[in-house]
Amino acid sequence: MRLHDRVAIVTGAAGGLGATYAQAIAREGGRVAVVDVLDGEGTAQGMRALGRQARAFQADLTDEEQVQGMVRQVREEFGRIDILVNNAGGAGQQTAESEIEKIDRAHWDEIIAINLTTTMLCIKHVAPHMKQQRSGKIVNVSSRAARGTAWFGQVTPEYIAAKIGIIGLTRQVAKDLGPHGITVNCLVPSFTVSGPALQNAWDRMTEEERNHMIEATPLRRLPDPAELASVVVFLVSDESSYVTGACLDVNGGSLMA
């Protein structure tokens, strides 16, 4: 029980990897606020079945007032905030367009907002509570796409830009919040088939794209969601007490290819 009685906010946790991260924290004894623009009650119910305090909060995290309201409600219900996992984001629904002159401005704004702006707003409104406690653990979720150009055709420049921005934000905020006893780190995961959106992305790939992704990974496989969740648990536990400003690549060695 590495996280016994600690209160965690996990965003984008109604399903997919966010739900996996939330469940892993609950299994380690954490109490979890499941936050998503969708209804996360199913995820929360699963954690309550483990005997953990959990509640779903539905909020559009691109809206600062809704972020403020969500953080206030979590504090009122749980009494404190020890952990923030910024997982909310995604590539959107529009068909990928990689040529810069064809990028749709509205789509650009949407992808930057749901990935980078949500991360910034959640940190902005959680940080004062962590400062007051003189402790806290923040994990931001980026993407392997932030480590280079897209390695399959459905990743857009706006998604890459947003995920690179999360890495830069992580480092600067780690520097700013470190004196207050708060660590800020970044998970940089490889593509993972988890949840309907990512399953659909995998299904839309050509056989050549799938094979290229596997062959470009020294471990010759995609990650299991639990392998990513274990890194999140490490980063929000006392085991990482002297780790901050780090970006941990969990990609099966694909950056070496």
Side-chain angles (χ1 to χ4, degrees):
M1 292 295 178
R2 288 176 285 175
L3 305 175
H4 176 66
D5 207 37
R6 296 185 194 178
V7 176
I9 293 174
V10 183
T11 71
L17 286 173
T20 302
Y21 301 152
Q23 290 158 359
I25 290 170
R27 283 194 296 271
E28 290 290 340
R31 300 184 286 149
V32 186
V34 176
V35 180
D36 204 301
V37 69
L38 304 174
D39 183 3
E41 181 57 26
T43 302
Q45 284 180 354
M47 288 181 286
R48 289 196 293 269
L50 296 173
R52 309 288 183 260
Q53 182 183 6
R55 181 183 165 189
F57 295 85
Q58 197 162 356
D60 177 357
L61 300 179
T62 66
D63 183 326
E64 187 162 8
E65 288 187 2
Q66 292 191 43
V67 174
Q68 285 179 296
M70 177 272 293
V71 172
R72 183 176 59 252
Q73 290 179 62
V74 172
R75 280 271 296 178
E76 289 173 353
E77 177 150 338
F78 291 84
R80 57 186 292 120
I81 301 171
D82 302 295
I83 295 164
L84 169 64
V85 179
N86 282 308
N87 172 72
Q93 300 301 316
Q94 182 167 309
T95 301
E97 183 54 74
S98 61
E99 294 182 42
I100 190 69
E101 65 268 27
K102 295 182 180 179
I103 291 176
D104 178 74
R105 173 58 190 275
H107 191 247
W108 172 276
D109 291 345
E110 174 195 357
I111 299 307
I112 297 297
I114 64 176
N115 289 280
L116 183 56
T117 304
T118 56
T119 299
M120 179 275 293
L121 288 175
C122 287
I123 296 173
K124 175 181 177 180
H125 291 287
V126 166
H129 302 291
M130 290 184 171
K131 283 182 176 181
Q132 189 177 36
Q133 298 165 183
R134 300 290 302 175
S135 67
K137 295 277 191 175
I138 298 173
V139 175
N140 303 320
V141 180
S142 181
S143 166
R144 187 199 178 284
R147 295 304 201 186
T149 57
W151 64 337
F152 65 97
Q154 298 173 41
V155 177
T156 62
E158 49 266 53
Y159 180 78
I160 294 172
K163 292 302 188 180
I164 290 174
I166 288 172
I167 291 176
L169 180 66
T170 296
R171 290 174 172 161
Q172 184 59 45
V173 175
K175 182 178 180 181
D176 294 343
L177 296 183
H180 302 279
I182 303 165
T183 66
V184 186
N185 292 292
C186 188
L187 174 69
V188 188
S190 184
F191 180 87
T192 312
V193 179
S194 175
L198 291 171
Q199 181 65 61
N200 288 339
W202 179 254
D203 292 342
R204 288 197 305 271
M205 289 184 203
T206 65
E207 184 175 356
E208 182 181 3
E209 286 175 326
R210 294 193 197 104
N211 289 338
H212 172 69
M213 186 176 290
I214 298 299
E215 291 169 5
T217 304
L219 292 182
R220 293 296 191 271
R221 62 179 178 83
L222 297 181
D224 185 285
E227 293 175 299
L228 304 180
S230 67
V231 178
V232 171
V233 169
F234 165 72
L235 290 174
V236 301
S237 73
D238 291 339
E239 294 175 358
S240 62
S241 57
Y242 203 64
V243 179
T244 196
C247 296
L248 271 64
D249 293 286
V250 187
N251 57 43
S254 62
L255 288 178
M256 299 187 295

